[in-house]
Amino acid sequence: MYYRLKEPWSFRGWKGTPYAFRAEFGKHKHDRPMFIAKEPFLDLLYCNGEEDVDIESLNPIAQKIIGEMMENDYMEESAEPMKPLQPWQRYHVFPSRYVDSVHWSITGKCNFKCRHCLVSAPSAHHPQLPLEDLMHLVREMATCGINRVDITGGEPLVRNDFEQIVEALTKHGIDIGVIFTNASLLTANTLDILDRWHQHPSFQLSFDGLGHHDWLRGVPGAEVQADAAFKLLQERGFPVGVAMCIHKGNAESLRDTANYLAGYGAVSLKLNAPQKLGLWKQYSDEYALEEDEVWAVYRDYIGHYFADGMPLDIELDGYFFCKKGETNYRIPYVHHLKRDYPWDRVPYCESMRHNMYIGPDGRLAPCMGFSDTAIGKKFPSALEEPLGKLTREGYYRDVVDTTVGDLIAKNPECAECEHLEACCGGCMVEDITDDGDYLVPDGRCCYFHKHIGEQAVRDAADAAIRAAGLATEE
């Protein structure tokens, strides 16, 4: 019999550890990847409609997957060979560890002087690579099967070759998912470039509170420029998300800011208290909120959020996440594992298993937070060795493969902590030491579980839902 996925479905596989299939709809991602062992992975490659397959001879896991695909009408069978797959449908095995998307700093330069910059862009601590090096990185990403890139900087729009970068990504079949920008250089021409190359990313703009944005960004007029950008993106139909850094100066502006952004059609607002990394180390003693103060700001806003009709998606650090117009919420700080779970199978950071950061110097890192730490230079450069190889071996892989079990082995007090199954260590870089030790419990997450707790968030949210008349009868 001959088997193949129904059009326009396609499998893409990533070679290395872990092996993965990712089902796609058309040319775009449809489902989350399914990770499987090497043997069934290789057997499933025969289901291309052109090779006669004896199901009984395949690996049992491959047989089960085929059965599930047939049952759900995702796969078809025939006694005769089927028409060949289209070129974009053909199965690929890439010489890379699985990477869902890349967060890519295309420059280390910035025209702002943000007081909390993770990569110290205002001081030109990082370079701006020549275009030919960026073209090399695009080719490397394509070789590894990466088909989504989120672009950041520095400020990515300072590059006068921005269109060439967009063109190269497009021609290599890589979608631009998000562009992170301070919006000061965003113009109609920028959006024309994206339209010309059939890219329709969302934009994540920085906006740090009505009446407060200029201070944190270090540039007079930044708020006026952001306002103009919100209007332009709304007119052109590009989705907009906003990131806001909360501190002592702007905390009281949160409600007004959220409603202002919703009025411009912003789909989301993500709040965070800046990590004490990069330039923020210089300001944190005077401006950073203590954790109880952070929670007080968030607790108050949860009440306002439901009273205001849930005007946009909201994420308050690890404390609270809720979708626009919905009363179902979750608490990202809280996991739901069991005490006897095999901790050496729990990733310290799940996101690092699927995503990658490439810095303005071409170095890989599990996330942007590692870039300005003591171990930033220990990560390898994709300008010096093949990107696929770097994802499969060496220091980068060692960090990505870190588990909660590794954290517990280094910090036995975590094993005894009553909150372990809910906490799981928190963020790897939140409290990374000056000598680069990342096997350190996240102090903010730890404080949340020991001194604030899940129930406090639920009490605040449930009370706000009832007060707004949004509670449903059970």
Side-chain angles (χ1 to χ4, degrees):
M1 296 293 289
Y2 298 83
Y3 298 84
R4 62 166 279 176
L5 291 171
K6 286 191 171 182
E7 288 191 89
W9 286 78
S10 174
F11 269 145
R12 293 171 69 86
W14 276 258
K15 188 175 182 180
T17 304
Y19 286 86
F21 273 122
R22 182 166 75 184
E24 299 189 341
F25 188 79
K27 296 183 181 179
H28 301 283
K29 184 174 72 171
H30 188 68
D31 282 343
R32 291 291 295 171
M34 175 174 60
F35 294 102
I36 56 177
K38 179 179 180 179
E39 289 74 19
F41 175 93
L42 296 176
D43 277 355
L44 285 170
L45 295 178
Y46 292 112
C47 297
N48 55 24
E50 301 177 63
E51 297 186 60
D52 193 358
V53 179
D54 177 8
I55 292 290
E56 298 299 322
S57 69
L58 299 183
N59 180 279
I61 296 175
Q63 293 183 41
K64 180 181 178 182
I65 292 172
I66 292 171
E68 291 174 351
M69 287 286 187
M70 293 289 296
E71 184 178 339
N72 288 287
D73 201 32
Y74 293 158
M75 185 173 283
E76 57 188 338
E77 64 178 349
S78 171
E80 301 294 332
M82 292 179 250
K83 62 182 180 180
L85 298 170
Q86 297 296 314
W88 61 267
Q89 288 180 298
R90 291 193 176 279
Y91 307 160
H92 298 280
V93 182
F94 298 104
S96 168
R97 183 189 179 98
Y98 173 77
V99 178
D100 183 67
S101 66
V102 171
H103 192 67
W104 185 22
S105 286
I106 62 173
T107 179
K109 293 183 177 181
C110 186
N111 59 331
F112 274 16
K113 300 177 181 178
C114 300
R115 302 175 195 270
H116 66 304
C117 183
L118 274 176
V119 297
S120 302
S123 61
H125 182 67
H126 289 290
Q128 176 165 290
L129 293 173
L131 181 62
E132 62 184 277
D133 284 346
L134 269 58
M135 296 298 98
H136 173 79
L137 292 174
V138 170
R139 291 191 295 271
E140 285 292 293
M141 286 187 270
T143 298
C144 293
I146 294 163
N147 56 15
R148 169 176 160 152
V149 165
D150 297 333
I151 293 178
T152 187
E155 167 51 48
L157 299 182
V158 301
R159 294 198 67 116
N160 57 17
D161 51 12
F162 180 73
E163 180 163 11
Q164 289 96 312
I165 297 168
V166 173
E167 176 185 0
L169 289 168
T170 305
K171 289 183 174 179
H172 283 85
I174 300 174
D175 291 334
I176 302 173
V178 185
I179 296 176
F180 295 78
T181 175
N182 62 36
S184 63
L185 302 175
L186 181 64
T187 66
N189 182 59
T190 309
L191 306 183
D192 290 341
I193 289 171
L194 295 168
D195 283 340
R196 188 153 52 244
W197 292 103
H198 307 289
Q199 295 277 6
H200 196 76
S202 61
F203 281 80
Q204 178 147 313
L205 273 57
S206 305
F207 190 77
D208 298 296
L210 288 168
H212 300 277
H213 186 56
D214 289 9
W215 178 81
L216 191 62
R217 299 296 154 178
V219 175
E223 186 168 331
V224 173
Q225 293 171 329
D227 184 83
F230 291 135
K231 292 177 181 176
L232 175 63
L233 291 167
Q234 185 180 43
E235 291 169 0
R236 296 287 294 267
F238 282 83
V240 181
V242 179
M244 177 178 176
C245 291
I246 199 83
H247 55 81
K248 289 181 178 179
N250 67 358
E252 293 184 359
S253 72
L254 175 52
R255 184 181 191 179
D256 289 342
T257 299
N259 291 332
Y260 157 79
L261 295 170
Y264 274 128
V267 297
S268 64
L269 174 60
K270 182 176 182 179
L271 274 290
N272 67 84
Q275 295 172 295
K276 295 180 181 180
L277 299 170
L279 293 182
W280 190 242
K281 290 179 181 178
Q282 302 174 27
Y283 300 96
S284 57
D285 287 345
E286 184 175 356
Y287 292 99
L289 294 163
E290 297 298 327
E291 205 60 36
D292 285 330
E293 295 174 310
V294 171
W295 165 231
V297 173
Y298 292 164
R299 181 187 59 219
D300 290 347
Y301 181 66
I302 289 171
H304 299 320
Y305 178 71
F306 290 108
D308 294 340
M310 301 151 288
L312 71 180
D313 296 355
I314 192 76
E315 184 172 353
L316 308 176
D317 267 319
Y319 284 82
F320 182 80
F321 174 85
C322 195
K323 300 284 286 183
K324 175 181 178 178
E326 299 181 7
T327 55
N328 294 326
Y329 62 86
R330 63 182 176 87
I331 305 170
Y333 269 150
V334 178
H335 301 267
H336 298 279
L337 298 180
K338 295 182 179 179
R339 172 65 55 165
D340 59 353
Y341 200 86
W343 295 109
D344 59 350
R345 292 175 54 191
V346 180
Y348 194 167
C349 177
E350 181 68 31
S351 177
M352 294 191 322
R353 297 294 181 99
H354 300 158
N355 305 298
M356 174 195 298
Y357 173 68
I358 298 181
D361 56 358
R363 290 184 183 276
L364 281 64
C367 77
M368 194 174 191
F370 280 100
S371 59
D372 244 26
T373 67
I375 59 173
K377 294 297 184 184
K378 293 182 68 174
F379 290 103
S381 171
L383 296 173
E384 298 173 359
E385 294 186 78
L387 179 60
K389 175 184 177 183
L390 298 179
T391 67
R392 301 193 312 269
E393 58 188 62
Y395 188 70
Y396 170 82
R397 176 176 169 174
D398 291 345
V399 176
V400 169
D401 284 345
T402 302
T403 66
V404 176
D406 297 322
L407 175 73
I408 294 171
K410 182 76 180 296
N411 303 274
E413 65 276 14
C414 290
E416 304 299 323
C417 179
E418 63 179 309
H419 304 290
L420 174 62
E421 61 267 39
C423 170
C424 295
C427 174
M428 283 181 69
V429 297
E430 181 68 41
D431 283 318
I432 191 169
T433 65
D434 289 339
D435 61 358
D437 183 4
Y438 54 85
L439 287 174
V440 180
D442 174 353
R444 294 191 65 204
C445 185
C446 187
Y447 189 92
F448 170 83
H449 287 285
K450 290 183 177 180
H451 301 286
I452 298 171
E454 175 183 3
Q455 195 57 50
V457 180
R458 295 198 178 280
D459 288 345
D462 293 345
I465 291 169
R466 290 193 299 271
L470 299 169
T472 57
E473 295 184 7
E474 296 184 359

